[in-house]
Amino acid sequence: MKALDATQLYFNRAADHLELPASSRRLLVTAKREVQVQIPVEMDDGRLETYLGYRVQHNDSRGPMKGGLRYHPEVDLNEVRALAALMTWKTAVVNLPYGGAKGGIAIDPSVLSPGEIERITRKFVDEIHDFVGPNNDIPAPDMGTDSQVMAWYMNQYQKYHGFNPACVTGKPVEMYGAPGREEATGRGVGILCLKLLGRLGRKPPQTRVVIQGFGNVGSHTAWFLNKAECSVVAVSDKFGGYYRPEGLDVPAMVRYANNNRGTLQGYKDAQPITNEQLMELDCEVLIPAAIGGAITEHNVKKIKAPIIIEGANNPTYPEADDVLTAEGRTVLPDILANAGGVTVSYFEWAQNRQYYQWTLNRVRQELDVVLSQAFEAVWEMAQQRQTSLRTAAYILGIGRVSRAAALAGIM
Ligand code: NAD
């Protein structure tokens, strides 16, 4: 099953609970605008390459549309559509005044030079600047993009519309970024993991955690949970995994990756394993924090973790989700679990509009407040409706979006 089918299926389950008529469903699953652009770029060796870029603006009933910009070779319009819809439900679940969007370019940034990535980014902005902007659609980092890419985006946008740092979030702190944005998604995954453990009566020191992906989300999640005294026993990146049953030295691994172009390749102080083996390890918490479709009908029966926290977007496909639910495992869904990033992006955007910068402590405290409220609301909805946390989160998000659309007279 593809990502788009999965999000639509999750949408329909919640829409059934809300008894939404077919006409409203059609409106809510249809994107407001979808754009595919051509990106011709001169490469370092003088060759001309042409790439494809996408921006899907899904829904703006609750505010300007918000969503990441992904650079990955497998980016296509269907994937971006699914991710844009997820953003609409995610911003609604955490009650931010935003709608949802997503963008991407089908490139592999690991084989491109910084200059090539900069030219591709600027050309993309040339093509989309007319229908994005601080009151309309605000990108942020996602897989394969970082604060540097956001800085180029802001500078190129400025050439058309004047200085306005609120046009993009996830910028470097010295260029109107928010302290704490870089860590926010992983920190949020960690905060929510601790909340869930508390509800399930488990203690961090007795909790073994396995994390797939050691990029922005995976590494900050590992850092936070290690500090919170969980035992992080395995992590991985696209080249493979590393396992140490008595707990990994997470700070050492973060330092290693930082000095090794972001990868753990060659790390010696743990047992090397494959990404498949990692998913099947004996542990209390499994956190997919890399790619979509990490948990499917092919591997779900081999997964042992009773708790799954979706750091990545769309990591669990519905066939596998049904198995996990039937077996009584707890899945904290992506639209809540990884919402820390968009929450701090919202703080950054609000600060940019006031030309004022909060301290790191304030960012962390407010993040905790927003995520705690969202967690409690989803937990309560699941109890009330006797559903999984995923369906509860969708009911909450879709309910808020459809009420806003109805009040605005759109449906
Ligand atoms: P990233 O590019 O910083 O890191 C991705 C990590 O996944 C890297 O360690 C990479 O080696 C690893 N990886 C890639 N392909 C893999 C594979 N086939 N098997 C195992 N590992 C693989 O990306 P990120 O920003 O950490 O994003 C990870 C996930 O989290 C994505 O699904 C993204 O949509 C989601 N997410 C990110 C943010 C954010 O703020 N960065 C916010 C919300 C959700």
Side-chain angles (χ1 to χ4, degrees), residues 79-398:
E79 184 190 54
V80 178
R81 269 186 191 135
L83 294 167
L86 272 188
M87 286 308 300
T88 300
W89 317 133
K90 188 182 299 183
T91 54
V93 168
V94 279
N95 217 359
L96 303 176
Y98 283 142
K102 197 84 180 189
I105 306 179
I107 50 171
D108 180 355
S110 68
V111 299
L112 299 174
S113 72
E116 288 168 338
I117 298 173
E118 176 177 353
R119 292 197 290 281
I120 290 167
T121 303
R122 289 185 185 277
K123 188 75 194 166
F124 183 58
V125 179
D126 290 343
E127 297 301 322
I128 65 163
H129 71 91
D130 264 340
F131 50 88
V132 291
N135 295 318
N136 188 18
D137 178 358
I138 308 123
D142 191 70
M143 235 160 107
T145 57
D146 58 13
S147 59
Q148 173 61 77
V149 174
M150 301 305 122
W152 291 325
Y153 181 104
M154 173 181 154
N155 181 264
Q156 194 67 11
Y157 182 84
Q158 181 177 336
K159 291 181 181 163
Y160 294 99
H161 302 279
F163 176 75
N164 199 331
C167 69
V168 65
T169 60
K171 300 177 293 291
V173 177
E174 53 280 54
M175 244 185 107
Y176 292 87
R181 171 60 185 90
E182 190 115 3
E183 67 177 23
T185 306
R187 187 178 181 86
V189 172
I191 290 171
L192 290 161
C193 177
L194 296 185
K195 297 229 156 279
L196 186 59
L197 290 176
R199 282 282 184 177
L200 299 173
R202 289 177 184 266
K203 300 261 178 295
Q206 278 97 54
T207 303
R208 291 165 301 167
V209 178
V210 168
I211 303 174
Q212 185 195 46
F214 205 67
N216 177 288
V217 182
S219 66
H220 286 289
T221 301
W223 180 276
F224 184 91
L225 288 176
N226 177 63
K227 277 234 166 206
E229 297 185 348
C230 291
S231 180
V232 179
V233 294
V235 298
S236 70
D237 62 21
K238 68 178 169 190
F239 301 109
Y242 300 86
Y243 178 45
R244 192 164 180 268
E246 55 277 28
L248 294 164
D249 183 348
V250 174
M253 295 185 92
V254 170
R255 279 195 302 276
Y256 185 92
N258 285 344
N259 295 327
N260 197 31
R261 300 187 69 227
T263 129
L264 291 167
Q265 248 185 331
Y267 183 75
K268 292 276 181 286
D269 293 328
Q271 182 188 326
I273 53 173
T274 64
N275 263 294
E276 290 74 46
Q277 289 169 321
L278 174 122
M279 299 295 287
E280 298 162 13
L281 285 174
D282 208 5
C283 62
E284 281 70 44
V285 176
L286 173 65
I287 305 182
I291 39 160
I295 304 178
T296 66
E297 71 267 37
H298 303 299
N299 66 354
V300 66
K301 287 280 180 196
K302 296 182 200 147
I303 289 174
K304 300 189 186 69
I307 300 170
I308 288 140
I309 301 192
E310 297 184 335
N313 283 315
N314 254 325
T316 315
Y317 283 175
E319 301 86 345
D321 199 47
D322 290 345
V323 173
L324 296 171
T325 307
E327 290 179 354
R329 317 233 214 144
T330 307
V331 180
L332 197 73
D334 47 9
I335 57 172
L336 173 59
N338 65 36
V342 70
T343 302
V344 175
S345 271
Y346 164 60
F347 299 160
E348 180 178 332
W349 178 79
Q351 290 164 70
N352 289 160
R353 299 180 78 104
Q354 302 170 323
Y355 295 100
Y356 183 73
Q357 196 173 64
W358 299 357
T359 61
L360 177 59
N361 263 348
R362 176 158 178 206
V363 169
R364 287 177 169 174
Q365 277 164 12
E366 302 234 9
L367 175 65
D368 202 292
V369 171
V370 171
L371 293 183
S372 300
Q373 283 172 353
F375 178 83
E376 294 306 330
V378 170
W379 186 268
E380 203 180 303
M381 181 68 80
Q383 305 300 309
Q384 260 177 29
R385 299 260 185 176
Q386 288 298 298
T387 63
S388 66
L389 292 173
R390 185 188 312 282
T391 300
Y394 271 82
I395 293 173
L396 193 69
I398 294 167

